[in-house]
Every structure is written in structure tokens, then in C-alpha cells.
């Protein structure tokens, strides 16, 4: 619903993906609102250690130069869960999070963290330590309960917007909302 634009000050990308042949739909990634548990297996997949992607904008057209895109897979266990970190500030990662004992390369923030079953995203990488088997991930489920910081929302959360059904977030039957 918005035209393409390029802003150097943002750390977010929204991509338009070309349609598959014969109009076949892409399989969406499933997200779980359930928190991780201690000692639960988890893994992350992402493009890490990438340099800045060379982007040019000329004559109202974008062009992208060559860049390495090596996919990394990191496997480990959830050591500890911090569901109230947004209040208690137990660890340096903001918001509800978990300590993930996996070697996550640098620049992999935002990569999905899957539960051990492998089909459902349970969090995202938020901080890693170079050369160590230690990283933090933000949990999706508890973050859905945090109040929105906008005056007109008055106590609403992402979950309440999802349940309201008019904010573009799909409700999947059987999610236990």
C-alpha cells in the first residue's frame, strides 16, 4: 500500500516478492505466542556478518550491487527465560527475552529463532557475543502483551489489536488466544 522508498536511518526492510508460477502461494512462516522454556532446544537461521548492501537510487530506480549472502544455522538450548525483563531489567536485552546457548554470528539480529520442532518461530535474535556460544533472543509471545506507547491506544497491546481483527495481523484458529 506504500510506494518503494529508501531511508538510510531505518533498520527494517519490507520486500515485495514476485508471484510464484501459476499463482501458487508462498508458505508463510508460522509464529507462536508461547514463551520458550528452560532447556528447550532452539535454532536460528539468518544472513550474518554481511557488509552493508550497496544500493543506488538513480532516476527513481533502485539498483543493488553484488554482496555475499551466506546463510548461517545456529543450534542450541534455551538456558534461561526472562519473561519480566521489561520491568526487572535482569539482562541487557530489552523486553521479555531468553538466554540462547548457541553460537550466533555478528549482525544476525532480527533472525528468527525456531523452537526445537522447527516449524514455528518463537523469538528473534536480539544480541550475540562474538566467538561465544551465548546470545539473547526476544520472545514474541510475551512482547504481544506489552502496552503500546501511543496516547490514542490507552492500554491496548499487540495481542488486543490482533484479537480486534482489523490491524492486519491474522488470527489462526487454535492458537489459544
Amino acid at each position: 500500500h506504500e510506494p518503494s522508498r529508501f531511508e538510510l536511518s531505518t533498520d527494517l526492510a519490507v520486500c515485495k516478492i514476485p508471484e510464484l508460477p501459476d499463482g501458487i502461494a508462498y508458505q508463510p512462516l508460522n509464529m507462536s505466542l508461547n514463551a520458550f522454556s528452560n532447556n528447550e532446544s532452539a535454532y536460528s537461521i539468518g544472513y550474518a556478518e554481511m557488509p552493508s548492501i550497496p544500493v543506488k537510487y538513480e532516476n527513481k530506480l533502485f539498483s543493488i550491487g553484488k554482496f555475499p549472502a551466506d546463510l548461517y544455522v545456529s543450534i542450541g538450548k534455551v538456558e534461561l527465560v526472562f519473561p519480566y525483563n521489561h520491568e526487572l531489567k535482569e539482562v541487557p536485552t530489552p523486553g521479555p527475552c531468553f538466554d540462547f546457548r548457541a553460537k550466533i554470528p555478528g549482525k544476525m539480529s532480527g533472525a528468527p529463532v525456531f523452537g526445537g520442532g522447527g516449524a514455528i518461530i518463537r523469538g528473534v535474535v536480539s544480541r550475540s557475543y562474538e566467538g561465544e556460544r551465548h546470545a539473547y533472543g526476544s520472545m514474541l509471545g510475551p512482547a504481544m502483551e506489552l502496552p503500546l506507547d501511543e496516547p490514542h491506544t490507552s492500554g491496548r497491546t499487540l495481542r488486543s489489536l490482533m484479537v480486534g481483527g482489523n490491524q492486519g495481523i491474522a488470527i489462526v484458529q487454535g492458537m489459544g488466544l
Side-chain angles (χ1 to χ4, degrees):
H1 68 284
E2 291 187 20
S4 297
R5 67 180 184 268
F6 181 65
E7 296 177 17
L8 288 172
S9 61
T10 60
D11 188 17
L12 174 72
V14 178
C15 302
K16 182 176 181 180
I17 301 170
E19 189 173 308
L20 287 171
D22 299 325
I24 298 170
Y26 285 94
Q27 177 63 43
L29 295 173
N30 296 312
M31 294 187 333
S32 171
L33 300 184
N34 297 321
F36 274 107
S37 300
N38 293 346
N39 296 318
E40 186 175 346
S41 294
Y43 69 93
S44 184
I45 300 173
Y47 295 98
E49 300 178 349
M50 287 179 64
S52 294
I53 298 171
V55 177
K56 290 183 182 179
Y57 185 67
E58 295 175 345
N59 301 322
K60 297 185 180 183
L61 295 174
F62 288 102
S63 65
I64 299 174
K66 291 188 176 190
F67 60 92
D70 298 322
L71 191 62
Y72 289 82
V73 177
S74 297
I75 302 170
K77 291 235 182 240
V78 173
E79 187 82 11
L80 295 168
V81 178
F82 303 96
Y84 303 105
N85 193 52
H86 59 292
E87 295 170 350
L88 302 177
K89 312 242 186 287
E90 299 165 285
V91 296
T93 295
C97 63
F98 56 95
D99 187 348
F100 183 36
R101 295 300 171 164
K103 190 171 183 177
I104 305 286
K107 296 186 178 181
M108 203 159 122
S109 295
V113 179
F114 294 85
I120 299 176
I121 298 172
R122 306 275 297 283
V124 295
V125 173
S126 60
R127 176 173 284 196
S128 62
Y129 298 92
E130 192 67 36
E132 295 184 32
R133 285 188 65 79
H134 181 222
Y136 288 105
S138 296
M139 291 189 290
L140 299 176
M144 296 292 283
E145 300 296 343
L146 297 175
L148 295 172
D149 188 26
E150 297 178 13
H152 67 279
T153 61
S154 66
R156 290 192 300 171
T157 64
L158 287 174
R159 185 185 293 262
S160 70
L161 292 177
M162 183 174 71
V163 171
N166 62 354
Q167 299 301 319
I169 303 173
I171 298 175
V172 178
Q173 296 299 322
M175 282 181 57
L177 297 174

